[in-house]
């Protein structure tokens, strides 16, 4: 209600800032937990948003924990750095003693000379004479910088030094990167003060850690002893610091999930309150919200309970405010319908009070029924079980129904993995054909394929009880037979489905009180569809019923009759299906063509005449913007409450809600007419994709069985059983990868396309927007 108010001038901006400050503190605490290798868990329960006093307590405790963590972390880092320096210094002294050790006492056996890096730099016999002239620089350096460091020392000091490098016995942490690195210890002996200054400057340039190196052996021994003591003391202090830090982190891990949820809820509430407005006395909050009428009683009870718990002197109440704006769409779903509704929402959210394809009972059936044309019993049974293990998946019921209807259509075709299943005895009798024919042994030897004539008595005993007779799988013309059957079945299903979509538009016309569209849109659409393509379905069924095996050779072609229907001609070679067929077809074409102008000009002319018609107003009656009385009288024009009852009930679909532009209406209706008339032709052809996909699936199944699985049954001995194991593994992998995954996805996409384009565009606009009610979002810990 206050969109023009600056965010910094709103009522609860201070509370929002406080929540943001606490969120910053929580982010720091969470980073410290992750830095310690701990993952904050989810909130064990859903706490309520805290009141002001509790929010202050949460803020104080979180800031106190954050301050303690900062201090303890800083102390721990300082202790670790000091301990690391002491250990490095200790290693430098230990390694340095090997280079600058004193000569052996008199009388001791001479030490063998060995050329190694551990050998003292100076000859022990010359040590006493040169001890006062030699100085040392010692420290540690990164291993990657040793080569460049040594080269620069040699060039800068011109060889007036002796440098020794040795790796540290144990790796240590790099303070810059935090990685564990095996540092390199260096000990440089030089003559002259100027050389020493150069060495120190070069060491600083290479970020070397330089440590003082005592000149005498006794001083080095004392320093090593002192370092051991300091390292032990620091280790004990660091251990106690780690324990205290672990205790603080335990407190944070225990309280942080609950605090974070509470603050998020509190911030969400204040953000909503900032969108409300105050009355003149600034004692009451006013908010306008969308609420389902079904839930209005619950809202009133919640407000009443909130007023009682908060101790407010003013009771909260709800008042219905009519508006001419189109309300949002609320679609209530459950775990079964949610998956199907998401498919419809991907096309477009239903307009307010529009027929919703996702809530109708035919929506879960149709895509899976089309999928069923593609998968047999064997493949359908493999799609069925995975939903038991993937119950958490949102589309589990979609997969379930796909598998169920695939099994059903597998029984229709009586096939399992492309192999026929004889549930009932075949209706064709080969023995009867052999007994009533002149098949001799020579004839049978020269004719591998034999024709079963249904005209012979007893050869064909009637239709198969359920589905297709499995004997067709042995016939050489089974592909031609099934192609004809599937093609006609796809056309029949498509036209029935499109007609059903047109019928569903009646509910929208009646509900939105646009009854003129029943005559000017629905009626011509049905005439155009049924006069042309409905007649095609009639021809298919009529030919199936009229012609039998006895006169099937003289049966005319439906396709030629349908072409002649549009050309207003007749073909003497193609016999008519029934007497008077040509006049009937001419009348149907004329009706279909006559319905196009009505569909094109009916609605625009009606709106134009209705707009130009004069209005009659009763004396003393209030003037409104619609045909019916406003819900609240006495309101000025233009207010949000000045709306008609029709606007409220139809969601702003009142024909007089705004000025109508005739050119825009005519253009919209022209596009709709062209799309519908051309779509009836293209959409009918589009349903033939069911035939194509079914053929592709059947042939792929047969190829996998013939080229893979059948090879394991070539030998019936033990060798065949051994070969059958890898063959079945390959067959199973290919079946899952190709027939289930690849073709399953392809079939789903084709079925979805038919549902969106060929079916929904007959009645579904999908120009609405979802109702997004206030809700506390779950904490994702991102």
């Amino acid at each position: 209600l206050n969109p023009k108010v600056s965010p910094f001038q709103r009522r609860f901006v201070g509370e929002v800032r406080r929540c943001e400050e606490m969120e910053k503190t929580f982010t720091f605490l969470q980073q410290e937990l992750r830095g310690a290798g701990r993952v904050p868990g989810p909130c064990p329960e859903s706490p309520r948003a805290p009141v002001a006093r509790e929010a202050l307590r949460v803020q104080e405790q979180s800031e106190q924990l954050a301050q303690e963590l900062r201090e303890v972390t800083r102390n721990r880092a300082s202790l670790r750095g000091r301990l690391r320096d002491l250990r490095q210094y200790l290693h430098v002294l230990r390694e340095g003693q090997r280079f600058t050790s004193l000569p052996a006492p008199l009388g001791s056996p001479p030490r063998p000379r060995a050329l190694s890096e551990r050998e003292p730099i100076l000859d022990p016999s010359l040590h006493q004479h040169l001890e006062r002239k030699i100085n040392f620089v010692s420290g540690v350096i990164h291993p990657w910088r040793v080569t460049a460091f040594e080269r620069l020392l040699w060039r800068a000091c011109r060889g007036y030094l002796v440098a020794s490098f040795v790796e540290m016995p144990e790796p240590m942490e790099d303070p810059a990167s935090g990685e564990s690195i095996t540092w390199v210890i260096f000990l440089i002996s030089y003559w002259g003060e100027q050389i020493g200054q150069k060495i120190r400057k070069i060491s600083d340039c290479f970020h070397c850690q330089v440590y003082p190196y005592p000149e005498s052996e006794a001083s080095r021994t004392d320093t090593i002893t002192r370092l051991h003591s300091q390292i032990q003391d620091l280790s004990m202090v660091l251990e106690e610091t780690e324990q205290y830090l672990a205790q603080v982190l335990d407190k944070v891990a225990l309280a942080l999930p609950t605090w974070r949820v509470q603050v998020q809820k509190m911030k969400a509430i204040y953000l909503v309150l900032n969108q409300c407005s105050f009355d003149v006395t600034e004692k009451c909050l006013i908010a306008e919200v969308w609420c389902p009428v079904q839930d209005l009683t619950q809202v009133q009870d919640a407000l009443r309970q909130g007023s009682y718990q908060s101790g407010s002197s003013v009771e909260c109440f709800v008042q219905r405010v009519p508006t001419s704006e189109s309300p949002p769409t609320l679609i209530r779903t459950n775990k079964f319908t949610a998956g199907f509704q998401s498919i419809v929402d991907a096309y477009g959210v239903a307009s307010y009070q529009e027929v919703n394809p996702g809530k109708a009972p035919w929506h879960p059936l149709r895509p899976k029924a089309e999928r069923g044309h593609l998968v047999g019993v064997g493949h359908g049974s493999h799609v069925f079980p995975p939903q038991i293990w993937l119950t958490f998946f949102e589309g589990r019921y979609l997969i379930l129904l796909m598998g169920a209807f695939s099994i059903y259509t597998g029984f229709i075709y009586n096939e399992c993995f492309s192999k026929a299943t004889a549930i009932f005895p075949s209706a064709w009798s080969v023995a009867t054909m052999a007994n009533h024919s002149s098949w001799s042994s020579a004839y049978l030897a020269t004719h591998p394929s034999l024709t079963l004539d249904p005209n012979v008595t007893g050869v064909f005993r009637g239709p198969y009880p359920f589905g297709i007779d499995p004997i067709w799988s042995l016939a050489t013309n089974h592909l031609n037979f099934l192609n004809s059957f599937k093609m006609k079945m796809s056309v029949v299903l498509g036209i029935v489905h499109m007609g059903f979509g047109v019928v569903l538009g009646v509910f929208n016309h009646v509900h939105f009180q646009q009854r003129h569209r029943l005559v000017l849109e629905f009626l011509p659409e049905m005439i155009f569809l049924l006069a042309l393509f409905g007649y095609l379905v009639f021809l298919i069924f009529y030919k199936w019923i009229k012609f039998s095996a006895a006169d099937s050779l003289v049966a005319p072609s439906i396709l030629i009759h349908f072409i002649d229907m549009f050309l207003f001609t007749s073909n003497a070679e193609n016999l008519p299906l029934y007497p008077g067929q040509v006049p009937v077809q001419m009348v149907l074409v004329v009706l279909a063509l006559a319905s196009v102008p009505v569909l094109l000009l009916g609605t625009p002319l009606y709106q134009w005449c209705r707009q130009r018609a004069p209005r009659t107003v009763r004396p003393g009656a209030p003037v409104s913007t619609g045909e019916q009385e406003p819900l609240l009288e006495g309101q000025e024009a233009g207010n949000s409450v000045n709306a008609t009852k029709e606007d409220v009930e139809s969601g702003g679909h009142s024909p007089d809600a705004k000025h109508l532009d005739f050119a825009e209406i005519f253009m919209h209706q022209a596009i709709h007419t062209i799309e519908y008339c051309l779509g009836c032709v293209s959409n009918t052809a589009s349903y033939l994709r069911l035939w194509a996909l079914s053929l592709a699936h059947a042939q792929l199944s047969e190829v996998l069985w013939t080229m893979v699985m059948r090879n394991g049954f070539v030998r019936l001995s033990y060798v065949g059983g051994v070969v059958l194991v890898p063959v079945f593994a390959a067959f199973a992998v290919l079946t899952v990868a190709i027939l289930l995954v690849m073709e399953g996805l392809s079939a789903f996409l084709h079925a979805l396309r038919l549902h969106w384009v060929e079916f929904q565009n007959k009645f579904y606009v999908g120009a609405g927007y979802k109702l997004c009610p206030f809700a506390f979002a779950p904490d994702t810990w991102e």
Side-chain angles (χ1 to χ4, degrees):
L1 297 180
N2 51 6
K4 298 182 180 180
V5 179
S6 173
F8 300 99
Q9 298 176 352
R10 302 201 176 188
R11 181 78 176 185
F12 301 97
V13 63
E15 287 77 359
V16 174
R17 287 179 178 176
R18 181 187 303 170
C19 295
E20 292 177 350
E21 291 297 329
M22 285 191 285
E23 287 182 343
K24 292 180 181 179
T25 304
F26 297 161
T27 302
F28 168 75
L29 296 177
Q30 182 177 347
Q31 291 176 353
E32 292 296 322
L33 285 176
R34 290 181 175 177
R38 301 189 181 188
V39 179
C43 185
E45 56 185 7
S46 180
R48 293 179 175 270
V51 296
R53 183 180 302 175
E54 187 178 356
L56 289 176
R57 180 183 61 81
V58 171
Q59 185 178 10
E60 292 177 358
Q61 292 182 358
S62 61
E63 291 179 353
Q64 181 179 0
L65 287 177
Q67 183 65 25
E68 290 182 4
L69 276 179
R70 291 189 182 97
E71 294 179 358
V72 176
T73 304
R74 184 170 55 253
N75 294 336
R76 183 186 62 173
S78 177
L79 290 174
R80 283 183 174 180
R82 178 60 179 166
L83 185 60
R84 182 178 58 254
D85 291 340
L86 293 178
R87 288 178 176 174
Q88 288 181 353
Y89 191 17
L90 179 62
H91 286 295
V92 169
L93 293 179
R94 285 179 176 176
E95 297 297 330
Q97 275 190 327
R98 300 180 181 181
F99 296 104
T100 60
S101 59
L102 292 175
L106 296 176
S108 60
R111 185 174 54 182
R113 298 290 294 172
L115 299 177
S116 66
E117 296 181 355
R118 306 292 183 177
E119 193 68 20
I121 298 176
L122 302 178
D123 192 349
S125 61
L126 301 177
H127 188 275
Q128 295 177 356
H129 302 282
L130 301 177
E131 183 177 359
R132 295 182 180 179
K133 299 179 181 179
I134 299 177
N135 296 318
F136 297 94
V137 175
S138 61
V140 294
I141 186 174
H142 197 281
W144 295 353
R145 303 169 184 167
V146 173
T147 305
F149 178 63
E150 186 177 6
R151 186 183 303 113
L152 186 58
L153 284 176
W154 181 260
R155 291 178 180 177
C157 301
R158 299 182 180 180
Y160 290 97
L161 57 84
V162 177
S164 299
F165 297 89
V166 63
E167 289 186 354
M168 191 176 293
E170 60 177 347
M172 289 191 180
E173 181 182 0
D174 185 6
S177 62
E179 298 179 355
S180 181
I181 299 176
T182 303
W183 296 89
V184 175
I185 300 173
F186 64 88
L187 180 63
I188 304 173
S189 59
Y190 63 92
W191 292 266
E193 187 62 27
Q194 294 182 355
I195 299 297
Q197 292 178 1
K198 290 182 179 180
I199 293 174
R200 291 184 178 88
K201 289 181 180 179
I202 294 173
S203 301
D204 293 338
C205 292
F206 280 86
H207 303 283
C208 300
Q209 184 67 33
V210 180
Y211 297 98
Y213 192 79
E215 297 181 358
S216 63
E217 185 74 20
S219 300
R220 291 194 291 269
T221 304
D222 294 340
T223 304
I224 292 175
T225 304
R226 186 176 67 254
L227 289 176
H228 275 293
S229 177
Q230 292 179 359
I231 290 174
Q232 291 180 357
D233 296 340
L234 281 178
S235 299
M236 294 178 60
V237 176
L238 182 60
E239 184 179 356
E240 294 178 356
T241 305
E242 294 280 358
Q243 293 179 357
Y244 181 70
L245 178 61
Q247 295 176 1
V248 178
L249 291 176
D250 290 339
K251 296 180 182 179
V252 173
L254 183 62
L256 183 58
T258 303
W259 288 350
R260 189 167 183 178
V261 174
Q262 288 178 330
V263 172
Q264 285 180 347
K265 289 185 176 182
M266 183 170 62
K267 181 182 177 181
I269 292 174
Y270 284 129
L271 289 176
V272 173
L273 293 180
N274 276 334
Q275 300 177 7
C276 304
S277 62
F278 287 85
D279 62 351
V280 180
T281 60
E282 294 189 355
K283 293 183 179 179
C284 296
L285 275 175
I286 301 175
E288 290 186 2
V289 300
W290 292 110
C291 175
V293 179
Q294 181 179 347
D295 300 334
L296 193 59
T297 305
Q298 300 180 9
V299 174
Q300 293 175 343
D301 295 340
L303 290 175
R304 190 178 300 109
Q305 184 179 3
S307 301
Y308 173 76
Q309 292 182 357
S310 62
S312 175
S313 58
V314 180
E315 184 178 356
C316 299
F317 61 92
V318 177
Q319 181 179 1
R320 297 183 63 175
V321 179
T323 177
S324 59
E325 297 180 5
S326 180
T329 303
L330 172 62
I331 301 175
R332 302 181 188 273
T333 59
N334 51 35
K335 61 181 181 180
F336 179 79
T337 60
F340 306 108
Q341 186 60 49
S342 61
I343 296 177
V344 177
D345 292 342
Y347 176 85
V349 180
S351 303
Y352 183 63
Q353 295 184 346
E354 184 184 17
V355 173
N356 178 25
K359 296 291 287 184
W362 58 83
H363 179 269
L365 305 182
R366 182 189 167 275
K368 272 65 64 182
E370 292 175 354
R371 176 72 179 94
H373 292 299
L374 314 176
V375 185
V377 178
H379 300 149
S381 62
H382 280 74
V383 177
F384 197 94
Q387 64 88 26
I388 301 175
W389 309 106
L390 301 176
T391 54
F392 59 89
F393 185 60
E394 185 179 1
R396 58 192 180 276
Y397 296 105
L398 181 66
I399 300 175
L400 172 66
L401 291 183
M402 287 175 63
F405 280 92
S406 299
I407 295 175
Y408 166 75
T409 50
F411 283 113
I412 291 292
Y413 293 128
N414 285 322
E415 288 185 356
C416 180
F417 293 111
S418 78
K419 304 304 294 180
T421 56
I423 303 177
F424 302 99
S426 176
W428 292 83
S429 176
V430 181
T432 305
M433 185 68 194
N435 295 332
H436 292 78
S437 63
S438 59
W439 290 348
S440 61
S441 301
Y443 183 84
L444 295 176
T446 57
H447 293 77
S449 299
L450 301 174
T451 301
L452 299 181
D453 189 1
N455 291 323
V456 178
T457 305
V459 174
F460 182 67
R461 297 187 294 269
Y464 193 72
F466 184 80
I468 296 177
D469 199 314
I471 200 174
W472 280 104
S473 63
L474 303 176
T476 57
N477 61 336
H478 75 283
L479 188 60
N480 296 331
F481 168 75
L482 290 180
N483 279 343
S484 177
F485 172 74
K486 293 177 181 179
M487 180 180 63
K488 294 180 176 62
M489 182 179 61
S490 299
V491 172
V492 171
L493 288 176
I495 295 174
V496 172
H497 196 243
M498 289 190 297
F500 183 59
V502 176
V503 172
L504 289 179
V506 175
F507 296 93
N508 289 332
H509 304 333
V510 174
H511 178 76
F512 294 132
Q513 299 183 3
Q514 299 173 347
R515 301 184 184 276
H516 64 278
R517 301 184 67 178
L518 295 175
V519 180
L520 300 178
E521 291 187 14
F522 168 72
L523 189 59
E525 287 178 353
M526 289 299 296
I527 290 176
F528 184 86
L529 180 64
L530 297 180
L532 298 180
F533 302 99
Y535 179 70
L536 177 61
V537 175
F538 165 76
L539 293 181
I540 293 174
F541 281 98
Y542 185 83
K543 182 179 178 181
W544 281 346
I545 296 173
K546 181 178 180 181
F547 293 92
S548 62
D551 53 355
S552 61
L553 296 178
V554 297
S557 172
I558 296 178
L559 181 60
I560 296 178
H561 275 306
F562 197 62
I563 295 175
D564 293 339
M565 176 180 176
F566 289 95
L567 300 177
F568 292 96
T569 60
S570 60
N571 192 339
E573 297 180 358
N574 195 39
L575 299 178
L577 288 171
Y578 57 90
Q581 180 180 356
V582 176
V584 172
Q585 293 180 164
M586 290 183 178
V587 172
L588 292 177
V589 174
V590 171
L591 285 176
L593 296 178
S595 63
V596 176
V598 178
L599 182 62
L600 177 63
L601 302 175
T603 300
L605 291 177
Y606 174 81
Q607 297 288 356
W608 181 72
C609 296
R610 192 163 178 261
Q611 184 177 0
R612 292 178 59 88
R615 297 293 182 90
T616 57
V617 181
R618 292 180 292 121
V623 180
S624 64
T625 59
E627 294 180 345
Q628 301 186 18
E629 300 294 331
L631 293 181
L632 298 179
E633 298 181 1
Q635 301 289 343
E636 297 181 359
N639 291 346
S640 62
V641 296
N642 188 18
T644 64
K645 180 180 180 181
E646 181 182 3
D647 291 333
V648 178
E649 293 182 352
S650 62
H653 286 80
S654 174
D656 294 331
K658 59 181 179 180
H659 181 71
L660 300 177
D661 187 1
F662 179 77
E664 181 179 356
I665 295 177
F666 177 77
M667 183 62 64
H668 175 77
Q669 192 65 26
I671 295 174
H672 172 71
T673 303
I674 296 174
E675 181 183 9
Y676 178 81
C677 295
L678 296 181
C680 286
V681 181
S682 62
N683 293 349
T684 303
S686 182
Y687 278 92
L688 294 177
R689 69 182 66 239
L690 300 178
W691 164 40
L693 291 174
S694 178
L695 175 63
H697 184 89
Q699 294 304 307
L700 279 175
S701 301
E702 186 174 355
V703 167
L704 286 181
W705 181 272
T706 304
M707 300 184 62
V708 180
M709 195 64 184
R710 194 176 64 177
N711 293 330
F713 295 101
V714 174
R715 299 182 180 180
L716 300 179
S717 61
Y718 294 102
V719 179
V722 175
V723 174
L724 187 61
V725 175
V727 168
F728 177 76
F731 174 77
V733 171
L734 293 176
T735 299
V736 173
I738 298 177
L739 296 180
L740 296 186
V741 178
M742 186 179 70
E743 274 216 312
L745 179 61
S746 174
F748 172 78
L749 293 179
H750 283 285
L752 186 62
R753 194 263 186 197
L754 292 176
H755 191 84
W756 279 355
V757 179
E758 279 73 20
F759 175 65
Q760 287 185 181
N761 65 355
K762 301 297 187 297
F763 67 96
Y764 187 65
V765 178
Y769 62 100
K770 280 187 177 182
L771 175 67
C772 299
F774 174 78
F776 295 117
D779 189 8
T780 57
W781 290 101
E782 294 182 354

